[in-house]
Amino acid sequence: MEDLWSIAVVLLQVWFSVMIGFIMIPAMFGLSLGVTSVYIQILVKILEVTVRKLDEKGGSMEQEMGELRRYRTQSISRGEFALSDSFYFYIKGLESIVDDQVTQRFSSEELVSWNLLTRTNHNFHYISLRLTIIWGLGVIIRYCVLFPLRITLAIIGLTWLVIGTTLVGFLPNNRLKNWLSELVHLMCYRICARGLSATIQYHNKLNKPQKGGICVANHTSPIDIVILANDGCYAMVGQSHGGLMGVIQRSMVRSCPHVWFERSEMRDRNAVTSRLRAHVAAKTNLPILIFPEGTCINNTSVMMFKKGSFEIGGTIYPVAIKYDPRFGDAFWNSAKYNMVNYLLRMMTSWAIVVNVWYLPPMTRRVGEDAAQFANRVKSAIAHQGGLLDMAWDGSLKRAKVKEEFKEQQQKMYSSMVMGKKGRNSQEPHTESTRRQ
Amino acid sequence: MGSRASTLLREEEIEEIKKETGFSHSQITRLYSRFTSLDKGENGTLSREDFQRIPELAINPLGDRIINAFFPEGEDQVNFRGFMRTLAHFRPIEDNEKNKDPIASEPLNSRSNKLLFAFRLYDLDRDDKISRDELLQVLRMMVGVNISDEQLGSIADRTIQEADQNGDNSISFNEFIKVGNVYILYIDIDIDI
C-alpha cells in the first residue's frame, strides 16, 4: 500500500513539473515549444488517411432550386393572376420545411467527412473495424490523456487570473499598474488557451484594435473571448453574473476597467450607450470587445449586427474569427448544452484551431446611419472569414419573425399582379430569398 | 439535429415509409433528422408552432395553408409518418419508377395526385369545387392589404370565367387540371442527400 502511495506521489510530482515547465511557463511568456503544432499536423494526417472513404457526394440543393425557379418566375411575369401562382408559394414553403437557411445556423455545422468524434457524425454507421479501433483509441486519448491535462491548466489559469488581478488591484493607478494588469491578463488567457489546446493564427496584426476603439467580431462561443484576448487586452462588456463568473468579473475590474452591467441596466439602451461612450471617450482605456450578433451562431454565417454598438461613435476595429471544424465543434448551442457541458465537450475535442483576421478600422461615413454602417462592417467580416453574409436576425433563434416581412412578400406579389394591368410596376422583379 | 436521429428510427419503419412514399433510405434518414430538429418539444410529433418557427415559412403568405396540409382533420400534431406522407406528394417523378406491384395504388406523387393536393389547398370545404369565396380567400392571403376588395373581386371573377366550362361559376377538379397542368411538372422538391 505504501509503495503504491509513494509511486502515486512521484507521478504527481512529475506531472506537475512537466506541466509547469513545458506548458505554463512558455505560455506565460507567449512562447511555444511547438508541441501543439506537431500534434495538429499528425492529427490532420491521420484524419485524411483513415476517413477518406466517408466523403459524401451531392450537389447543393440550391443549384437545382435555382433551375426550377427560372421556370416559375417566367410563368409569374407573363400573366396577371393564374391559379398556378399559388404553386410558387407552396413550393417555397415546402422547400423551407425540408431545409431552410436560418434554423440551420443555430445548430452545429455538418461535416463533409467525419473527424472521428461521434458528436459530429449524426448518421454513424458501422463502417469498418479499422475505423472503429482508431475511433476507440481516439476516445481513450481524448478522455484520459488530454482531458485531465486541460482541466488542470484551465483551473490554474482561472485561479491565477483571480489572484493576479486582485493583487494588481492594490496598486495605485499608474503606468506600472496598467502594464502589470495587461501582463497578468495575457498570461492567464494564454494558459486557458493551452487548456483548450487552441492553436490560433492571427493575420494582419498591424490592424490590431487600439485603445479608445471598439472591437467587433462574429460570435460563435464564449471561447471567442479567450481567443481574442490571447493577443491583446480588451475591456469586456457584459452582464454581471453571480457565482464563479461573478468572482472572476469582480476581480478583473480591480486591475483595469471593464464594463459590467446589471440585468436591469441592460434594458435601458440609453444607459448602456452612454456608459460605453464614456469608456471610449477616455482614450487611455482598453478597446471594448463587443459581439453585435447578440447570440452564438454556428460559424458558417454572420447574422444581422445589432446597430446599438455602432451608435457609440469612435473607431470600429472589425475582427473575423473562423474555427476549423475538423478538430472540434466550437459552436455553443445554448438551448442544448449548458456552459459546463459545453466546456467539457470543448476539452475533449481534438483541438481548437482558429484563424483570426484583423480588418482595417472603419468609421461611420457621412450620411450613413447606424444600421447601414453595421451592415457594411458585417459584410467585411463575412467576406474575410469566408462566412455567409445573412440579413436574418440572430434573435430568430428564440423569437418569432416579425409580421412586416410577410407583408413585404404580399406587397411584392401584389405589384406583380397589378402591374400587368398596363401600369408599369416600379418594383424590380427579384427573388426574396433573404430579407432583413 | 441530434445524434440520436438514426437510432430512433427502426429499420422496419424505414422500409414501410419507403414502400408507402417512395423515398430512398438516405432521404428518409435525412428527413427524419430534419423532423427531429424541428421537434423542439422532443415528443415525436410536430405542432403548428414548430412549423411557424421556420422564418422563411413564417413570412410566406400561404404559410398557414401549407402548414395545415400536414395536419389531418381536426388534429394538432403530426408524427413522422404523416410528415413523410405529405412531403411524398412532392417527390420528383422519376423516369425509372416501375410499379413493382401491378395492382398497387397510384403513387402519392403522380401527376394527378399532385394536382389533387394543390386543388385541395384551394378547396377547403372539400366539396370538389373551388367557389368564388375560396378563391378570394387565397388571393387575399397572397396580396395582403395592397389590393382593394373590388379589384380582387374582379380578378377572381375573371379567373373563374376563364377556367369555368360548365357554367356553375366555380372551378371543378377537371377544369383545374386544364389550367394547372403545365406547371405541375415543376411542383416537386429535391431532397438532396
Side-chain angles (χ1 to χ4, degrees):
Chain A
M1 243 353 258
E2 293 226 330
D3 284 340
L4 278 174
W5 191 240
S6 47
I7 293 176
V9 169
V10 167
L11 276 177
L12 218 56
Q13 280 176 342
V14 169
W15 176 253
F16 268 110
S17 38
V18 160
M19 289 250 299
I20 295 184
F22 288 111
I23 302 179
M24 269 186 59
I25 296 192
M28 281 164 30
F29 294 101
L31 300 169
S32 167
L33 283 178
V35 174
T36 322
S37 27
V38 172
Y39 165 63
I40 299 279
Q41 281 168 3
I42 298 178
L43 206 51
V44 170
K45 282 259 156 50
I46 296 179
L47 288 178
E48 274 173 19
V49 166
T50 57
V51 200
R52 223 189 316 246
K53 302 169 202 160
L54 275 187
D55 274 343
E56 289 171 9
K57 62 177 190 296
S60 78
M61 191 160 126
E62 293 188 9
Q63 283 167 339
E64 289 158 81
M65 249 206 263
E67 284 173 8
L68 286 174
R69 285 222 177 104
R70 241 177 282 136
Y71 290 113
R72 272 179 240 127
T73 53
Q74 274 171 17
S75 77
I76 289 177
S77 63
R78 257 201 292 266
E80 259 185 3
F81 167 73
L83 281 169
S84 52
D85 277 357
S86 56
F87 299 170
Y88 170 75
F89 287 114
Y90 292 150
I91 295 308
K92 280 193 84 174
L94 284 163
E95 281 169 348
S96 70
I97 289 177
V98 171
D99 199 6
D100 77 297
Q101 280 298 324
V102 182
T103 55
Q104 58 162 289
R105 308 293 166 195
F106 301 135
S107 61
S108 304
E109 186 186 356
E110 272 192 44
L111 293 175
V112 171
S113 69
W114 193 33
N115 65 352
L116 292 176
L117 300 169
T118 28
R119 60 186 72 138
T120 50
N121 189 330
H122 307 296
N123 301 313
F124 177 58
H125 299 300
Y126 177 79
I127 305 283
S128 69
L129 185 62
R130 189 178 83 159
L131 204 57
T132 317
I133 290 180
I134 297 184
W135 174 76
L137 274 176
V139 170
I140 296 178
I141 295 178
R142 282 185 294 124
Y143 279 84
C144 303
V145 175
L146 294 176
F147 180 59
L149 189 66
R150 289 172 183 166
I151 266 254
T152 333
L153 281 172
I155 295 177
I156 293 180
L158 285 176
T159 324
W160 178 228
L161 180 68
V162 173
I163 296 176
T165 47
T166 318
L167 286 175
V168 172
F170 289 129
L171 294 173
N173 279 348
N174 57 18
R175 279 188 51 195
L176 178 66
K177 180 182 185 185
N178 291 338
W179 183 76
L180 272 179
S181 144
E182 282 182 30
L183 193 65
V184 169
H185 275 108
L186 271 175
M187 278 192 336
C188 301
Y189 283 120
R190 285 192 180 131
I191 298 177
C192 286
R194 284 288 191 277
L196 293 164
S197 290
T199 306
I200 312 170
Q201 182 91 348
Y202 297 99
H203 306 265
N204 305 333
K205 279 202 182 184
L206 32 76
N207 290 326
K208 218 158 85 161
Q210 306 291 327
K211 291 199 161 87
I214 303 175
C215 173
V216 303
N218 57 317
H219 200 27
T220 309
S221 100
I223 292 182
D224 289 344
I225 302 175
V226 173
I227 303 287
L228 287 178
N230 253 298
D231 194 40
C233 282
Y234 298 94
M236 309 284 168
V237 177
Q239 223 174 53
S240 0
H241 290 94
L244 180 62
M245 276 296 312
V247 172
I248 298 175
Q249 284 179 332
R250 282 190 292 276
S251 58
M252 278 169 72
V253 151
R254 278 196 206 111
S255 60
C256 72
H258 296 279
V259 190
W260 303 123
F261 291 103
E262 298 299 321
R263 181 155 256 160
S264 47
E265 273 181 290
M266 296 221 64
R267 277 188 220 123
D268 183 357
R269 274 191 53 191
N270 283 328
V272 171
T273 320
S274 52
R275 253 185 92 176
L276 290 174
R277 217 174 253 151
H279 184 106
V280 169
K283 293 284 174 196
T284 52
N285 279 337
L286 297 168
I288 307 179
L289 181 57
I290 294 186
F291 297 105
E293 278 164 313
T295 186
C296 293
I297 310 294
N298 75 347
N299 211 230
T300 57
S301 68
V302 184
M303 292 197 140
M304 191 176 93
F305 274 6
K306 301 213 177 339
K307 60 180 190 247
S309 340
F310 298 88
E311 286 170 343
I312 301 172
T315 328
I316 302 276
Y317 295 90
V319 179
I321 307 176
K322 180 78 175 109
Y323 291 86
D324 190 333
R326 287 178 297 173
F327 298 99
D329 171 30
F331 168 59
W332 182 31
N333 191 342
S334 51
K336 240 177 149 183
Y337 307 108
N338 59 19
M339 177 70 99
V340 176
N341 216 316
Y342 168 71
L343 286 174
L344 287 177
R345 282 162 60 91
M346 282 298 98
M347 289 188 189
T348 52
S349 310
W350 291 119
I352 305 221
V353 179
V354 191
N355 275 306
V356 176
W357 288 273
Y358 294 112
L359 287 115
M362 295 173 148
T363 40
R364 187 154 33 136
R365 292 196 191 125
V366 177
E368 199 181 32
D369 71 6
Q372 291 165 332
F373 183 37
N375 273 332
R376 192 159 61 91
V377 175
K378 173 163 72 80
S379 305
I381 292 182
H383 184 71
Q384 177 67 78
L387 303 161
L388 215 53
D389 182 4
M390 299 199 73
W392 289 101
D393 187 345
S395 64
L396 288 171
K397 199 191 216 179
R398 299 193 185 93
K400 284 209 168 131
V401 70
K402 297 194 198 115
E403 270 295 306
E404 336 172 321
F405 302 140
K406 189 191 236 178
E407 285 156 22
Q408 268 175 0
Q409 294 261 313
Q410 288 170 328
K411 209 166 177 184
M412 252 186 64
Y413 178 66
S414 314
S415 63
M416 265 182 238
V417 171
M418 297 307 290
K420 306 308 171 297
K421 287 204 166 144
R423 267 169 267 152
N424 275 338
S425 167
Q426 297 299 343
E427 299 266 329
H429 183 71
T430 48
E431 274 282 28
S432 57
T433 44
R434 305 211 168 102
R435 298 246 132 230
Q436 272 257 359
Chain B
M1 301 196 187
S3 54
R4 44 183 194 117
S6 41
T7 52
L8 284 187
L9 196 61
R10 298 188 314 277
E11 276 302 317
E12 314 96 65
E13 275 194 78
I14 297 182
E15 283 305 310
E16 284 171 37
I17 296 177
K18 208 164 160 183
K19 249 186 277 200
E20 190 182 352
T21 62
F23 281 118
S24 74
H25 194 282
S26 49
Q27 285 173 331
I28 294 174
T29 42
R30 169 69 136 139
L31 286 168
Y32 187 68
S33 184
R34 174 65 170 168
F35 181 85
T36 44
S37 74
L38 291 173
D39 179 17
K40 292 282 187 275
E42 291 188 3
N43 52 0
T45 59
L46 294 179
S47 66
R48 286 191 170 80
E49 286 79 43
D50 289 322
F51 282 100
Q52 289 281 359
R53 229 175 268 119
I54 304 171
E56 287 163 31
L57 187 61
I59 67 170
N60 190 315
L62 298 178
D64 287 329
R65 280 286 164 106
I66 301 170
I67 295 174
N68 272 334
F70 281 86
F71 294 88
E73 272 306 311
E75 305 225 346
D76 284 330
Q77 303 281 334
V78 58
N79 60 13
F80 184 58
R81 298 292 288 268
F83 182 71
M84 291 303 281
R85 230 172 273 134
T86 315
L87 284 179
H89 284 98
F90 299 89
R91 192 172 59 82
I93 302 171
E94 276 145 49
D95 303 312
N96 59 356
E97 255 181 58
K98 294 180 266 252
N99 258 346
K100 298 173 185 105
D101 184 351
I103 45 173
S105 56
E106 208 178 347
L108 284 169
N109 69 339
S110 70
R111 284 200 171 81
S112 54
N113 268 330
K114 273 187 177 163
L115 279 161
L116 190 60
F117 186 80
F119 183 77
R120 293 232 170 96
L121 283 161
Y122 278 101
D123 178 27
L124 275 192
D125 61 3
R126 297 287 173 99
D127 63 354
D128 289 331
K129 296 209 279 284
I130 301 177
S131 66
R132 184 176 186 270
D133 277 333
E134 287 169 337
L135 184 57
L136 266 177
Q137 265 183 36
V138 177
L139 270 170
R140 184 50 80 193
M141 285 172 87
M142 288 199 280
V143 305
V145 300
N146 299 295
I147 299 184
S148 69
D149 281 333
E150 303 94 53
Q151 280 176 325
L152 214 60
S154 55
I155 293 178
D157 287 328
R158 208 179 2 255
T159 313
I160 295 184
Q161 237 175 25
E162 284 170 1
D164 187 15
Q165 284 170 356
N166 62 355
D168 62 353
N169 214 31
S170 61
I171 306 177
S172 70
F173 184 53
N174 286 321
E175 292 159 358
F176 184 76
I177 290 180
K178 293 207 178 65
V179 180
N181 215 2
V182 185
Y183 305 106
I184 215 64
L185 296 172
Y186 308 122
I187 306 186
D188 45 51
I189 47 180
D190 251 325
I191 298 150
D192 219 26
I193 314 297

